[in-house]
Amino acid sequence: MTVADSAANTGRYAKQRCNNGASGYPQLRLSALKSCGTRSVLDAVFDPVSTGELDQARHLARSLRPGMLLLADRNYAAADLVTTLAATGAHLLIRCKNGRKLPTLRRHRDGSFSSVIGGLPIRVIDAQISITTTEDTRTSGYRLITTLLNPLTHPGAELIRLYHQRWEIETAYLELKSSILGGRVLRARTPDGVQQEIYALLSVYQLLRTAMVDATDSRPGLDPDRASFTTALNTARDQIVHAAGVIADTAIDLVGVIGADVLAHLLPDRRLRTKTRMIKRSNSKYQARGPNTDRRSYQATTSIDIVIPDP
C-alpha cells in the first residue's frame, strides 16, 4: 500500500527501488488473516516493505487456534514457518513447489503420501488440475502439504477442492485497496497517522462484513459469497451522506439498512471463471499487453486427478 510522500513517512516507510529509480511514494506491506466463509478479519499486521511476508506470517500465528484450518500459498511453505504455524494447534493446508524434494514414508489409497518437513509429520497431495473452457484446456500440477494426516477423514480430492477457497484473501485485498480506498494513496503524513488510517480502514471493512453476514445468515442456506461488498459500501456511505441519526427526525440502523440493501441486490451464484495470467509490464503500461489481447474471462469447468507417486 502507498502512503503520502512526506519526510516523516519516508523515515519509516521507504520507497521501493525499481529499474528506473525509486517508486513515487513510500510503501508499506500489510498481511491479513481472514475467515474464508465470511471474509472477516481475524488479524492483520503492517510494516515497512523491508519486512517480508514470512516474518509477518509469524506474527499472525498469534491468532491461530486449535480447530482452525489455515490455507496459504506456496510462499509460506518454508519449513521453519510451517513448524511455527503448526505449533499453534491449527491444521495447515499449504501449497508448495512441485519440484520440492519430500521423502515418501507411506502411500495412501487416495493417492497422497506421508512425509515430513522440518521434523513435522505431514501428508502430501499431488494433483493435475485441468481447466476447460470453450477455447481450450489447460493443465497444471499442484502439490499441497497438510497436517491433516488421516486420508479417510480428509481425502486428498476434497482438500484439493477446498484449497481453491484460498483465493478469498485476494478478494478481500481487492475490497480494501480498490473498493474502499479506490486505489488512492493513504493521506496521513506521519507514521502515527498512517497507523490510525489503516486501523480505520480495517474497522470499516470489518463492520461492513459483519453487516453482510448478518444479512445472509437471516436466510438459511444463503452463501455469504452472494452478498455484494460494493452494495454494502455504497449503502453505508449514503447513510453518512444523509447524516442519518445526526439530523433531527432521521434514524440510523446500519446493519438493518445495509443488510436490506444487500439482500435486495444479491449476486448470482459464483461461477467458475478463468483468465490467463499476463506478464507484468516492464516499463510503460501503454499497449504493454498488446492491442489484440483477449481481455474476456471465460466460464470454465475443472477436473482433478490425484497423481500417485512412482514406487
Side-chain angles (χ1 to χ4, degrees):
M1 303 179 72
T2 52
V3 301
D5 189 1
S6 67
N9 280 346
T10 53
R12 167 68 174 165
Y13 302 110
K15 297 181 180 181
Q16 284 191 304
R17 293 186 177 182
C18 54
N19 293 335
N20 299 320
S23 58
Y25 292 93
Q27 294 182 324
L28 62 84
R29 188 190 313 281
L30 183 146
S31 293
L33 181 67
K34 300 270 188 175
S35 170
C36 268
T38 63
R39 271 174 271 165
S40 57
V41 181
L42 302 179
D43 199 353
V45 293
F46 53 94
D47 302 279
V49 290
S50 57
T51 300
E53 294 177 352
L54 300 190
D55 291 328
Q56 290 187 323
R58 292 184 181 92
H59 287 289
L60 292 175
R62 65 193 176 189
S63 295
L64 294 175
R65 302 286 186 273
M68 291 182 176
L69 175 61
L70 176 69
L71 310 182
D73 71 16
R74 55 188 171 187
N75 184 51
Y76 298 94
D80 59 339
L81 177 59
V82 168
T83 54
T84 298
L85 297 174
T88 66
H91 281 296
L92 312 178
L93 182 61
I94 303 177
R95 188 182 178 190
C96 73
K97 294 181 179 179
N98 293 339
R100 187 164 183 171
K101 301 296 184 181
L102 295 171
T104 302
L105 304 181
R106 179 188 175 189
R107 295 182 178 85
H108 304 289
R109 291 185 177 181
D110 68 341
S112 63
F113 63 91
S114 297
S115 188
V116 64
I117 183 170
L120 178 71
I122 59 168
R123 190 157 59 100
V124 182
I125 307 163
D126 285 319
Q128 291 288 329
I129 301 179
S130 298
I131 300 179
T132 302
T133 68
T134 54
E135 298 294 314
D136 61 4
T137 297
R138 299 196 305 275
T139 301
S140 179
Y142 264 62
R143 167 170 279 193
L144 301 183
I145 60 175
T146 181
T147 55
L148 296 169
L149 303 180
N150 191 337
L152 298 179
T153 56
H154 302 94
E158 289 187 7
L159 294 180
I160 288 285
R161 285 191 291 269
L162 172 64
Y163 183 76
H164 182 71
Q165 297 294 320
R166 192 203 65 80
W167 281 98
E168 298 293 351
I169 190 70
E170 309 296 346
T171 305
Y173 285 145
L174 173 70
E175 291 162 350
L176 284 168
K177 293 182 65 175
S178 296
S179 298
I180 298 180
L181 277 181
R184 294 185 296 272
V185 177
L186 296 176
R187 62 186 179 181
R189 303 187 65 81
T190 64
D192 286 345
V194 169
Q195 179 174 337
Q196 183 182 39
E197 194 169 357
I198 291 178
Y199 279 126
L201 175 67
L202 293 170
S203 297
V204 168
Y205 175 89
Q206 187 81 331
L207 287 167
L208 291 174
R209 275 286 157 200
T210 300
M212 293 165 67
V213 173
D214 284 347
T216 54
D217 281 352
S218 68
R219 293 188 183 179
L222 183 60
D223 195 316
D225 287 346
R226 299 282 306 279
S228 167
F229 187 85
T230 302
T231 296
L233 175 62
N234 290 339
T235 305
R237 183 175 292 152
D238 290 344
Q239 289 281 94
I240 296 171
V241 171
H242 296 155
V246 177
I247 298 177
D249 300 324
T250 64
I252 186 166
D253 181 10
L254 283 178
V255 173
V257 173
I258 295 173
D261 214 15
V262 165
L263 292 176
H265 300 89
L266 290 173
L267 299 173
D269 288 330
R270 183 176 292 184
R271 297 168 296 164
L272 179 62
R273 292 175 292 178
T274 182
K275 179 70 175 176
T276 304
R277 283 184 178 267
M278 297 179 180
I279 298 175
K280 294 181 179 179
R281 63 179 182 266
S282 57
N283 294 310
S284 172
K285 66 181 179 181
Y286 300 104
Q287 299 297 333
R289 295 176 177 176
N292 300 318
T293 300
D294 183 1
R295 303 181 187 278
R296 296 171 293 174
S297 61
Y298 295 92
Q299 294 188 41
T301 58
T302 63
S303 59
I304 300 171
D305 295 310
I306 302 296
V307 178
I308 300 176
D310 294 330

